[in-house]
Every structure is written in C-alpha cells, then in structure tokens.
CSV table of all heavy atoms in Angstrom, one decimal:
chain,number,residue,atom,x,y,z
J,16,MET,N,198.2,-77.7,80.9
J,16,MET,CA,197.3,-77.8,82.0
J,16,MET,C,197.8,-77.0,83.2
J,16,MET,O,199.0,-77.0,83.5
J,16,MET,CB,197.3,-79.3,82.4
J,16,MET,CG,196.1,-79.7,83.3
J,16,MET,SD,194.5,-79.2,82.7
J,16,MET,CE,193.9,-80.8,82.2
J,17,LEU,N,196.9,-76.3,83.9
J,17,LEU,CA,197.3,-75.5,85.0
J,17,LEU,C,197.4,-76.4,86.3
J,17,LEU,O,196.7,-77.4,86.4
J,17,LEU,CB,196.2,-74.5,85.3
J,17,LEU,CG,196.1,-73.3,84.2
J,17,LEU,CD1,194.9,-72.5,84.6
J,17,LEU,CD2,197.3,-72.5,84.2
J,18,THR,N,198.2,-76.0,87.2
J,18,THR,CA,198.3,-76.7,88.4
J,18,THR,C,197.1,-76.6,89.3
J,18,THR,O,196.7,-77.5,90.0
J,18,THR,CB,199.6,-76.3,89.3
J,18,THR,OG1,199.5,-74.9,89.5
J,18,THR,CG2,200.9,-76.6,88.5
J,19,GLU,N,196.5,-75.4,89.2
J,19,GLU,CA,195.2,-75.1,89.8
J,19,GLU,C,194.5,-74.0,89.1
J,19,GLU,O,195.2,-73.2,88.4
J,19,GLU,CB,195.3,-74.8,91.3
J,19,GLU,CG,196.2,-73.7,91.6
J,19,GLU,CD,196.3,-73.5,93.1
J,19,GLU,OE1,195.4,-72.9,93.8
J,19,GLU,OE2,197.4,-74.0,93.7
J,20,PRO,N,193.2,-73.9,89.2
J,20,PRO,CA,192.5,-72.8,88.4
J,20,PRO,C,192.9,-71.4,88.8
J,20,PRO,O,193.3,-71.2,89.9
J,20,PRO,CB,191.0,-73.1,88.8
J,20,PRO,CG,190.9,-74.4,89.4
J,20,PRO,CD,192.3,-74.7,89.9
J,21,LEU,N,192.8,-70.5,87.8
J,21,LEU,CA,193.1,-69.1,88.1
J,21,LEU,C,191.9,-68.5,88.8
J,21,LEU,O,190.8,-68.8,88.5
J,21,LEU,CB,193.4,-68.4,86.8
J,21,LEU,CG,194.5,-68.9,85.9
J,21,LEU,CD1,194.6,-68.0,84.7
J,21,LEU,CD2,195.8,-68.9,86.7
J,22,THR,N,192.2,-67.5,89.7
J,22,THR,CA,191.2,-66.8,90.4
J,22,THR,C,190.7,-65.7,89.4
J,22,THR,O,191.3,-65.4,88.4
J,22,THR,CB,191.7,-66.1,91.7
J,22,THR,OG1,192.7,-65.1,91.3
J,22,THR,CG2,192.3,-67.1,92.6
J,23,ALA,N,189.6,-65.1,89.8
J,23,ALA,CA,189.0,-64.0,88.9
J,23,ALA,C,190.0,-62.9,88.8
J,23,ALA,O,190.2,-62.3,87.8
J,23,ALA,CB,187.7,-63.5,89.5
J,24,ALA,N,190.7,-62.5,89.9
J,24,ALA,CA,191.7,-61.5,89.9
J,24,ALA,C,192.9,-61.8,89.0
J,24,ALA,O,193.3,-61.0,88.3
J,24,ALA,CB,192.2,-61.2,91.4
J,25,GLU,N,193.3,-63.0,89.1
J,25,GLU,CA,194.4,-63.5,88.3
J,25,GLU,C,194.1,-63.4,86.8
J,25,GLU,O,194.9,-63.0,85.9
J,25,GLU,CB,194.9,-64.9,88.6
J,25,GLU,CG,195.6,-65.0,90.0
J,25,GLU,CD,195.7,-66.3,90.5
J,25,GLU,OE1,195.1,-67.3,90.0
J,25,GLU,OE2,196.4,-66.5,91.5
J,26,ARG,N,192.8,-63.8,86.5
J,26,ARG,CA,192.4,-63.7,85.1
J,26,ARG,C,192.3,-62.3,84.6
J,26,ARG,O,192.7,-62.0,83.4
J,26,ARG,CB,191.0,-64.4,84.9
J,26,ARG,CG,191.1,-65.9,85.0
J,26,ARG,CD,189.8,-66.6,84.5
J,26,ARG,NE,188.6,-66.2,85.2
J,26,ARG,CZ,188.2,-66.7,86.4
J,26,ARG,NH1,188.8,-67.7,86.9
J,26,ARG,NH2,187.1,-66.2,86.9
J,27,ARG,N,191.9,-61.3,85.4
J,27,ARG,CA,191.8,-59.9,85.0
J,27,ARG,C,193.2,-59.4,84.7
J,27,ARG,O,193.5,-58.7,83.8
J,27,ARG,CB,191.1,-59.1,86.1
J,27,ARG,CG,189.6,-59.3,86.1
J,27,ARG,CD,189.0,-58.2,87.0
J,27,ARG,NE,189.4,-58.3,88.4
J,27,ARG,CZ,188.8,-59.1,89.3
J,27,ARG,NH1,187.7,-59.8,89.0
J,27,ARG,NH2,189.2,-59.2,90.6
J,28,ILE,N,194.2,-59.8,85.6
J,28,ILE,CA,195.5,-59.3,85.4
J,28,ILE,C,196.2,-59.9,84.2
J,28,ILE,O,196.8,-59.3,83.4
J,28,ILE,CB,196.4,-59.6,86.7
J,28,ILE,CG1,195.9,-58.6,87.8
J,28,ILE,CG2,197.9,-59.4,86.5
J,28,ILE,CD1,196.5,-58.9,89.2
J,29,LEU,N,195.9,-61.2,84.0
J,29,LEU,CA,196.5,-61.9,82.9
J,29,LEU,C,196.0,-61.3,81.6
J,29,LEU,O,196.8,-61.1,80.6
J,29,LEU,CB,196.1,-63.4,82.9
J,29,LEU,CG,196.6,-64.3,81.7
J,29,LEU,CD1,198.1,-64.3,81.7
J,29,LEU,CD2,196.0,-65.7,81.9
J,30,LYS,N,194.8,-60.9,81.5
J,30,LYS,CA,194.2,-60.2,80.3
J,30,LYS,C,195.0,-58.9,79.9
J,30,LYS,O,195.2,-58.6,78.8
J,30,LYS,CB,192.7,-59.9,80.5
J,30,LYS,CG,192.0,-59.3,79.4
J,30,LYS,CD,190.6,-59.1,79.7
J,30,LYS,CE,189.9,-58.3,78.6
J,30,LYS,NZ,188.5,-57.9,79.0
J,31,LEU,N,195.4,-58.2,81.0
J,31,LEU,CA,196.1,-56.9,80.8
J,31,LEU,C,197.6,-57.1,80.6
J,31,LEU,O,198.3,-56.2,80.1
J,31,LEU,CB,195.8,-56.0,81.9
J,31,LEU,CG,194.4,-55.6,82.1
J,31,LEU,CD1,194.2,-54.9,83.4
J,31,LEU,CD2,193.9,-54.7,80.9
J,32,LEU,N,198.2,-58.2,81.0
J,32,LEU,CA,199.6,-58.4,81.0
J,32,LEU,C,200.3,-58.2,79.7
J,32,LEU,O,201.4,-57.5,79.7
J,32,LEU,CB,199.9,-59.8,81.6
J,32,LEU,CG,201.3,-60.1,82.0
J,32,LEU,CD1,201.8,-59.2,83.1
J,32,LEU,CD2,201.5,-61.6,82.4
J,33,PRO,N,199.8,-58.6,78.6
J,33,PRO,CA,200.6,-58.4,77.3
J,33,PRO,C,200.7,-57.0,76.9
J,33,PRO,O,201.7,-56.6,76.2
J,33,PRO,CB,199.8,-59.2,76.3
J,33,PRO,CG,198.9,-60.1,77.0
J,33,PRO,CD,198.6,-59.5,78.3
J,34,THR,N,199.8,-56.1,77.3
J,34,THR,CA,199.8,-54.7,76.8
J,34,THR,C,200.0,-53.6,77.9
J,34,THR,O,200.1,-52.4,77.5
J,34,THR,CB,198.5,-54.4,76.1
J,34,THR,OG1,197.4,-54.6,77.0
J,34,THR,CG2,198.3,-55.3,74.9
J,35,SER,N,200.2,-54.0,79.1
J,35,SER,CA,200.2,-53.0,80.2
J,35,SER,C,201.4,-53.2,81.1
J,35,SER,O,201.8,-54.4,81.4
J,35,SER,CB,199.0,-53.0,81.0
J,35,SER,OG,197.8,-52.8,80.2
J,36,THR,N,201.9,-52.1,81.7
J,36,THR,CA,202.9,-52.2,82.7
J,36,THR,C,202.2,-52.6,84.1
J,36,THR,O,201.0,-52.5,84.2
J,36,THR,CB,203.7,-50.9,82.9
J,36,THR,OG1,202.7,-49.9,83.4
J,36,THR,CG2,204.3,-50.4,81.6
J,37,TYR,N,203.0,-52.9,85.1
J,37,TYR,CA,202.4,-53.2,86.4
J,37,TYR,C,201.6,-52.0,86.9
J,37,TYR,O,200.5,-52.2,87.4
J,37,TYR,CB,203.5,-53.6,87.4
J,37,TYR,CG,204.2,-54.9,87.1
J,37,TYR,CD1,205.2,-55.3,88.0
J,37,TYR,CD2,203.8,-55.8,86.1
J,37,TYR,CE1,205.9,-56.5,87.7
J,37,TYR,CE2,204.5,-57.0,85.9
J,37,TYR,CZ,205.5,-57.3,86.7
J,37,TYR,OH,206.1,-58.5,86.5
J,38,GLN,N,202.2,-50.8,86.7
J,38,GLN,CA,201.5,-49.6,87.2
J,38,GLN,C,200.2,-49.4,86.4
J,38,GLN,O,199.2,-49.0,87.0
J,38,GLN,CB,202.5,-48.4,87.0
J,38,GLN,CG,202.0,-47.2,87.7
J,38,GLN,CD,201.9,-47.3,89.2
J,38,GLN,OE1,202.8,-47.9,89.8
J,38,GLN,NE2,200.8,-46.8,89.8
J,39,GLN,N,200.2,-49.6,85.1
J,39,GLN,CA,199.0,-49.5,84.3
J,39,GLN,C,197.9,-50.5,84.8
J,39,GLN,O,196.7,-50.2,84.8
J,39,GLN,CB,199.3,-49.6,82.8
J,39,GLN,CG,200.1,-48.4,82.3
J,39,GLN,CD,200.6,-48.7,80.9
J,39,GLN,OE1,200.9,-49.9,80.5
J,39,GLN,NE2,200.7,-47.7,80.1
J,40,ILE,N,198.4,-51.7,85.0
J,40,ILE,CA,197.4,-52.7,85.5
J,40,ILE,C,196.8,-52.3,86.8
J,40,ILE,O,195.6,-52.4,87.0
J,40,ILE,CB,198.1,-54.1,85.6
J,40,ILE,CG1,198.5,-54.7,84.2
J,40,ILE,CG2,197.2,-55.1,86.3
J,40,ILE,CD1,199.4,-55.9,84.3
J,41,ALA,N,197.6,-51.8,87.7
J,41,ALA,CA,197.2,-51.4,89.0
J,41,ALA,C,196.1,-50.3,88.9
J,41,ALA,O,195.1,-50.3,89.5
J,41,ALA,CB,198.3,-50.9,89.9
J,42,ALA,N,196.4,-49.3,88.0
J,42,ALA,CA,195.5,-48.2,87.8
J,42,ALA,C,194.2,-48.6,87.2
J,42,ALA,O,193.1,-48.2,87.6
J,42,ALA,CB,196.2,-47.1,87.0
J,43,THR,N,194.3,-49.5,86.2
J,43,THR,CA,193.1,-50.0,85.5
J,43,THR,C,192.2,-50.7,86.5
J,43,THR,O,191.0,-50.6,86.4
J,43,THR,CB,193.5,-50.9,84.3
J,43,THR,OG1,194.3,-50.1,83.4
J,43,THR,CG2,192.3,-51.4,83.6
J,44,LEU,N,192.8,-51.5,87.3
J,44,LEU,CA,192.0,-52.4,88.2
J,44,LEU,C,191.7,-51.8,89.6
J,44,LEU,O,191.1,-52.4,90.5
J,44,LEU,CB,192.7,-53.8,88.4
J,44,LEU,CG,192.8,-54.6,87.1
J,44,LEU,CD1,193.6,-55.9,87.4
J,44,LEU,CD2,191.5,-54.8,86.4
J,45,PHE,N,192.3,-50.5,89.8
J,45,PHE,CA,192.1,-49.8,91.1
J,45,PHE,C,192.6,-50.6,92.2
J,45,PHE,O,192.0,-50.8,93.3
J,45,PHE,CB,190.6,-49.4,91.3
J,45,PHE,CG,190.0,-48.6,90.2
J,45,PHE,CD1,189.2,-49.2,89.2
J,45,PHE,CD2,190.4,-47.2,90.2
J,45,PHE,CE1,188.7,-48.4,88.2
J,45,PHE,CE2,189.8,-46.5,89.1
J,45,PHE,CZ,189.0,-47.0,88.2
J,46,ILE,N,193.8,-51.2,92.0
J,46,ILE,CA,194.5,-51.9,93.1
J,46,ILE,C,196.0,-51.4,93.2
J,46,ILE,O,196.4,-50.7,92.3
J,46,ILE,CB,194.5,-53.5,92.8
J,46,ILE,CG1,195.2,-53.8,91.5
J,46,ILE,CG2,193.1,-54.0,92.9
J,46,ILE,CD1,195.3,-55.3,91.2
J,47,SER,N,196.7,-51.8,94.2
J,47,SER,CA,198.1,-51.3,94.4
J,47,SER,C,199.0,-52.1,93.5
J,47,SER,O,198.7,-53.2,93.1
J,47,SER,CB,198.5,-51.4,95.8
J,47,SER,OG,198.7,-52.7,96.2
J,48,ARG,N,200.1,-51.5,93.2
J,48,ARG,CA,201.2,-52.2,92.4
J,48,ARG,C,201.6,-53.5,93.2
J,48,ARG,O,201.9,-54.5,92.6
J,48,ARG,CB,202.4,-51.3,92.2
J,48,ARG,CG,203.4,-51.8,91.2
J,48,ARG,CD,204.3,-50.7,90.8
J,48,ARG,NE,205.3,-51.2,89.8
J,48,ARG,CZ,206.5,-51.6,90.1
J,48,ARG,NH1,206.9,-51.6,91.4
J,48,ARG,NH2,207.3,-52.1,89.2
J,49,SER,N,201.7,-53.4,94.5
J,49,SER,CA,202.1,-54.5,95.3
J,49,SER,C,201.1,-55.7,95.1
J,49,SER,O,201.4,-56.9,95.1
J,49,SER,CB,202.1,-54.1,96.8
J,49,SER,OG,202.4,-55.2,97.6
J,50,THR,N,199.8,-55.4,95.1
J,50,THR,CA,198.7,-56.4,94.9
J,50,THR,C,198.9,-57.0,93.5
J,50,THR,O,198.7,-58.2,93.4
J,50,THR,CB,197.3,-55.8,95.0
J,50,THR,OG1,197.2,-55.2,96.4
J,50,THR,CG2,196.2,-56.8,94.8
J,51,VAL,N,199.2,-56.2,92.5
J,51,VAL,CA,199.5,-56.8,91.1
J,51,VAL,C,200.6,-57.8,91.2
J,51,VAL,O,200.5,-58.9,90.7
J,51,VAL,CB,199.8,-55.7,90.1
J,51,VAL,CG1,200.3,-56.2,88.8
J,51,VAL,CG2,198.6,-54.8,89.9
J,52,LYS,N,201.7,-57.4,91.9
J,52,LYS,CA,202.8,-58.3,92.0
J,52,LYS,C,202.5,-59.6,92.7
J,52,LYS,O,203.0,-60.7,92.3
J,52,LYS,CB,204.0,-57.6,92.6
J,52,LYS,CG,204.6,-56.5,91.8
J,52,LYS,CD,205.6,-55.7,92.5
J,52,LYS,CE,207.0,-56.1,92.1
J,52,LYS,NZ,208.0,-55.3,92.7
J,53,THR,N,201.7,-59.5,93.8
J,53,THR,CA,201.3,-60.7,94.5
J,53,THR,C,200.5,-61.6,93.6
J,53,THR,O,200.7,-62.8,93.6
J,53,THR,CB,200.4,-60.3,95.7
J,53,THR,OG1,201.3,-59.5,96.6
J,53,THR,CG2,199.9,-61.5,96.5
J,54,HIS,N,199.5,-61.1,92.9
J,54,HIS,CA,198.7,-61.9,92.0
J,54,HIS,C,199.6,-62.5,90.9
J,54,HIS,O,199.4,-63.6,90.5
J,54,HIS,CB,197.6,-61.1,91.4
J,54,HIS,CG,196.5,-60.8,92.3
J,54,HIS,ND1,195.8,-61.8,93.1
J,54,HIS,CD2,195.8,-59.7,92.6
J,54,HIS,CE1,194.9,-61.2,93.8
J,54,HIS,NE2,194.9,-59.9,93.6
J,55,LEU,N,200.5,-61.7,90.4
J,55,LEU,CA,201.4,-62.2,89.3
J,55,LEU,C,202.3,-63.4,89.8
J,55,LEU,O,202.5,-64.3,89.1
J,55,LEU,CB,202.3,-61.1,88.7
J,55,LEU,CG,201.6,-60.2,87.8
J,55,LEU,CD1,202.4,-59.0,87.4
J,55,LEU,CD2,201.1,-60.9,86.5
J,56,ARG,N,202.8,-63.2,91.0
J,56,ARG,CA,203.6,-64.3,91.6
J,56,ARG,C,202.8,-65.6,91.6
J,56,ARG,O,203.3,-66.7,91.2
J,56,ARG,CB,204.0,-63.9,93.0
J,56,ARG,CG,205.2,-64.8,93.5
J,56,ARG,CD,205.7,-64.2,94.9
J,56,ARG,NE,205.8,-62.8,94.8
J,56,ARG,CZ,205.3,-61.9,95.7
J,56,ARG,NH1,204.6,-62.4,96.7
J,56,ARG,NH2,205.4,-60.7,95.6
J,57,SER,N,201.6,-65.6,92.0
J,57,SER,CA,200.7,-66.8,92.0
J,57,SER,C,200.4,-67.2,90.6
J,57,SER,O,200.4,-68.4,90.3
J,57,SER,CB,199.4,-66.4,92.8
J,57,SER,OG,198.5,-67.5,92.7
J,58,LEU,N,200.1,-66.3,89.7
J,58,LEU,CA,199.8,-66.6,88.4
J,58,LEU,C,201.0,-67.3,87.7
J,58,LEU,O,200.8,-68.3,87.0
J,58,LEU,CB,199.5,-65.3,87.6
J,58,LEU,CG,199.1,-65.4,86.2
J,58,LEU,CD1,197.8,-66.2,86.0
J,58,LEU,CD2,198.9,-64.0,85.6
J,59,TYR,N,202.2,-66.8,87.9
J,59,TYR,CA,203.4,-67.4,87.3
J,59,TYR,C,203.5,-68.8,87.8
J,59,TYR,O,203.9,-69.7,87.0
J,59,TYR,CB,204.6,-66.6,87.6
J,59,TYR,CG,204.8,-65.3,86.9
J,59,TYR,CD1,203.8,-64.7,86.1
J,59,TYR,CD2,206.0,-64.6,87.0
J,59,TYR,CE1,204.0,-63.5,85.4
J,59,TYR,CE2,206.2,-63.4,86.3
J,59,TYR,CZ,205.2,-62.8,85.5
J,59,TYR,OH,205.4,-61.7,84.9
J,60,GLN,N,203.3,-69.0,89.1
J,60,GLN,CA,203.5,-70.3,89.7
J,60,GLN,C,202.5,-71.3,89.0
J,60,GLN,O,202.8,-72.4,88.7
J,60,GLN,CB,203.3,-70.3,91.2
J,60,GLN,CG,203.5,-71.6,91.9
J,60,GLN,CD,203.3,-71.5,93.4
J,60,GLN,OE1,202.6,-70.6,93.9
J,60,GLN,NE2,203.8,-72.5,94.1
J,61,LYS,N,201.2,-70.9,88.9
J,61,LYS,CA,200.2,-71.7,88.3
J,61,LYS,C,200.4,-72.0,86.9
J,61,LYS,O,200.1,-73.1,86.4
J,61,LYS,CB,198.8,-71.1,88.5
J,61,LYS,CG,198.3,-71.1,89.9
J,61,LYS,CD,197.0,-70.3,90.0
J,61,LYS,CE,196.5,-70.3,91.5
J,61,LYS,NZ,195.2,-69.6,91.6
J,62,LEU,N,201.0,-71.1,86.2
J,62,LEU,CA,201.4,-71.3,84.7
J,62,LEU,C,202.7,-72.0,84.6
J,62,LEU,O,203.1,-72.4,83.4
J,62,LEU,CB,201.4,-70.0,84.0
J,62,LEU,CG,200.1,-69.3,83.8
J,62,LEU,CD1,200.3,-67.9,83.3
J,62,LEU,CD2,199.2,-70.0,82.9
J,63,GLY,N,203.5,-72.2,85.6
J,63,GLY,CA,204.8,-72.8,85.5
J,63,GLY,C,205.8,-71.9,84.8
J,63,GLY,O,206.6,-72.4,84.0
J,64,ALA,N,205.6,-70.6,85.0
J,64,ALA,CA,206.4,-69.6,84.2
J,64,ALA,C,207.4,-68.9,85.2
J,64,ALA,O,207.0,-68.7,86.4
J,64,ALA,CB,205.5,-68.6,83.5
J,65,SER,N,208.5,-68.4,84.7
J,65,SER,CA,209.4,-67.7,85.5
J,65,SER,C,209.6,-66.2,85.1
J,65,SER,O,210.4,-65.5,85.6
J,65,SER,CB,210.8,-68.4,85.6
J,65,SER,OG,211.3,-68.6,84.3
J,66,SER,N,208.9,-65.9,84.0
J,66,SER,CA,209.1,-64.5,83.5
J,66,SER,C,207.7,-64.1,82.9
J,66,SER,O,206.9,-64.9,82.6
J,66,SER,CB,210.2,-64.4,82.4
J,66,SER,OG,209.8,-65.1,81.2
J,67,ARG,N,207.7,-62.8,82.6
J,67,ARG,CA,206.4,-62.2,82.0
J,67,ARG,C,206.2,-62.8,80.6
J,67,ARG,O,205.1,-63.2,80.3
J,67,ARG,CB,206.6,-60.7,82.0
J,67,ARG,CG,205.4,-60.0,81.4
J,67,ARG,CD,205.8,-58.5,81.3
J,67,ARG,NE,204.6,-57.7,80.9
J,67,ARG,CZ,204.1,-56.7,81.6
J,67,ARG,NH1,204.6,-56.4,82.7
J,67,ARG,NH2,203.0,-56.1,81.2
J,68,SER,N,207.2,-62.8,79.8
J,68,SER,CA,207.1,-63.3,78.4
J,68,SER,C,206.7,-64.8,78.5
J,68,SER,O,205.9,-65.3,77.7
J,68,SER,CB,208.3,-63.1,77.6
J,68,SER,OG,209.4,-63.7,78.2
J,69,GLU,N,207.3,-65.6,79.4
J,69,GLU,CA,207.0,-67.0,79.5
J,69,GLU,C,205.6,-67.2,79.9
J,69,GLU,O,204.9,-68.1,79.4
J,69,GLU,CB,208.0,-67.7,80.5
J,69,GLU,CG,207.9,-69.2,80.5
J,69,GLU,CD,208.9,-69.8,81.4
J,69,GLU,OE1,209.9,-69.1,81.9
J,69,GLU,OE2,208.7,-71.0,81.8
J,70,ALA,N,205.1,-66.4,80.9
J,70,ALA,CA,203.7,-66.5,81.3
J,70,ALA,C,202.7,-66.2,80.2
J,70,ALA,O,201.7,-66.8,80.1
J,70,ALA,CB,203.5,-65.5,82.5
J,71,ILE,N,203.0,-65.1,79.4
J,71,ILE,CA,202.2,-64.8,78.3
J,71,ILE,C,202.1,-65.9,77.3
J,71,ILE,O,201.0,-66.3,76.8
J,71,ILE,CB,202.6,-63.4,77.7
J,71,ILE,CG1,202.4,-62.3,78.6
J,71,ILE,CG2,201.9,-63.2,76.3
J,71,ILE,CD1,203.1,-61.0,78.2
J,72,GLN,N,203.3,-66.4,76.9
J,72,GLN,CA,203.3,-67.5,76.0
J,72,GLN,C,202.6,-68.8,76.5
J,72,GLN,O,201.8,-69.4,75.7
J,72,GLN,CB,204.8,-67.9,75.6
J,72,GLN,CG,204.9,-68.9,74.5
J,72,GLN,CD,204.2,-68.5,73.2
J,72,GLN,OE1,204.5,-67.5,72.7
J,72,GLN,NE2,203.3,-69.3,72.8
J,73,ARG,N,202.8,-69.1,77.7
J,73,ARG,CA,202.1,-70.2,78.3
J,73,ARG,C,200.6,-70.0,78.3
J,73,ARG,O,199.8,-70.9,78.0
J,73,ARG,CB,202.6,-70.5,79.7
J,73,ARG,CG,202.1,-71.6,80.4
J,73,ARG,CD,203.0,-72.8,80.3
J,73,ARG,NE,202.6,-73.9,81.2
J,73,ARG,CZ,201.8,-74.9,80.8
J,73,ARG,NH1,201.4,-75.1,79.6
J,73,ARG,NH2,201.4,-75.8,81.7
J,74,ALA,N,200.1,-68.8,78.6
J,74,ALA,CA,198.7,-68.5,78.6
J,74,ALA,C,198.1,-68.6,77.2
J,74,ALA,O,197.0,-69.1,77.0
J,74,ALA,CB,198.5,-67.1,79.2
J,75,VAL,N,198.9,-68.2,76.2
J,75,VAL,CA,198.4,-68.3,74.8
J,75,VAL,C,198.3,-69.8,74.5
J,75,VAL,O,197.3,-70.2,73.9
J,75,VAL,CB,199.4,-67.6,73.8
J,75,VAL,CG1,199.1,-67.9,72.4
J,75,VAL,CG2,199.3,-66.1,74.1
J,76,ASP,N,199.3,-70.6,74.8
J,76,ASP,CA,199.3,-72.0,74.5
J,76,ASP,C,198.1,-72.7,75.2
J,76,ASP,O,197.6,-73.6,74.6
J,76,ASP,CB,200.6,-72.7,75.0
J,76,ASP,CG,201.9,-72.2,74.2
J,76,ASP,OD1,201.7,-71.6,73.2
J,76,ASP,OD2,203.0,-72.5,74.7
J,77,LEU,N,197.7,-72.2,76.4
J,77,LEU,CA,196.6,-72.8,77.1
J,77,LEU,C,195.3,-72.2,76.7
J,77,LEU,O,194.2,-72.5,77.3
J,77,LEU,CB,196.8,-72.7,78.6
J,77,LEU,CG,198.0,-73.5,79.2
J,77,LEU,CD1,198.2,-73.1,80.6
J,77,LEU,CD2,197.7,-75.0,79.0
J,78,ARG,N,195.3,-71.3,75.7
J,78,ARG,CA,194.1,-70.6,75.2
J,78,ARG,C,193.5,-69.7,76.3
J,78,ARG,O,192.2,-69.6,76.3
J,78,ARG,CB,193.1,-71.5,74.6
J,78,ARG,CG,193.7,-72.2,73.4
J,78,ARG,CD,192.8,-73.2,72.8
J,78,ARG,NE,193.4,-74.2,72.0
J,78,ARG,CZ,193.4,-74.2,70.7
J,78,ARG,NH1,192.8,-73.2,70.0
J,78,ARG,NH2,194.0,-75.1,70.0
J,79,LEU,N,194.3,-69.2,77.2
J,79,LEU,CA,193.8,-68.3,78.2
J,79,LEU,C,193.8,-66.8,77.7
J,79,LEU,O,193.2,-66.0,78.3
J,79,LEU,CB,194.6,-68.4,79.5
J,79,LEU,CG,194.5,-69.8,80.2
J,79,LEU,CD1,195.5,-69.9,81.3
J,79,LEU,CD2,193.1,-70.1,80.7
J,80,LEU,N,194.6,-66.6,76.7
J,80,LEU,CA,194.7,-65.3,76.1
J,80,LEU,C,194.4,-65.4,74.6
J,80,LEU,O,194.7,-66.4,74.0
J,80,LEU,CB,196.1,-64.7,76.2
J,80,LEU,CG,196.5,-64.1,77.6
J,80,LEU,CD1,197.9,-63.7,77.6
J,80,LEU,CD2,195.6,-62.9,77.9
C-alpha cells in the first residue's frame, strides 16, 4: 500500500525507471535531470524505498510496473 497516490509525473518516471538513466528519463519527458531527481525523491518516499532497485521491486510488488 502506498502512503499516498502517485502523481501523473511520478507514474511517468516510474514507468521509465527500470530501463533508463536519469538523463534518458529527462530527455524522454522533456524535463531537467533535477526535476527527475525531485520526482524520484517523492516517489521513493511514497514507495517506502531507499534505492532505485528497491523502488522498482516495490512498484512490481504493488503492480505499478
């Protein structure tokens, strides 16, 4: 269970997280790398994750990926 719902931006970034670098995510979504990091910080918090791999696994467990 998530602590709160993911925003549309967080969902877009989460979808790209398993296969893309931060720079690739930024380029794909036409946003800055800094914006990607900001959304990821919030995403990790909502998923209760402290790393990229943990966030991906948690998202898979919650059927978000």
Side-chain angles (χ1 to χ4, degrees):
M16 194 57 103
L17 293 172
T18 57
E19 58 184 278
L21 300 181
T22 65
E25 290 165 348
R26 287 192 304 271
R27 286 191 296 272
I28 289 173
L29 180 59
K30 182 179 172 188
L31 296 170
L32 194 59
T34 59
S35 303
T36 65
Y37 291 177
Q38 191 63 41
Q39 289 168 328
I40 292 170
T43 299
L44 299 178
F45 302 101
I46 58 177
S47 73
R48 189 168 182 263
S49 177
T50 301
V51 171
K52 291 174 99 174
T53 298
H54 286 308
L55 282 173
R56 196 172 316 124
S57 176
L58 182 62
Y59 286 8
Q60 183 180 20
K61 290 177 181 181
L62 290 171
S65 58
S66 69
R67 182 185 187 120
S68 59
E69 190 177 344
I71 292 168
Q72 185 57 55
R73 184 95 167 98
V75 168
D76 293 346
L77 292 171
R78 300 176 197 258
L79 298 172
L80 282 176

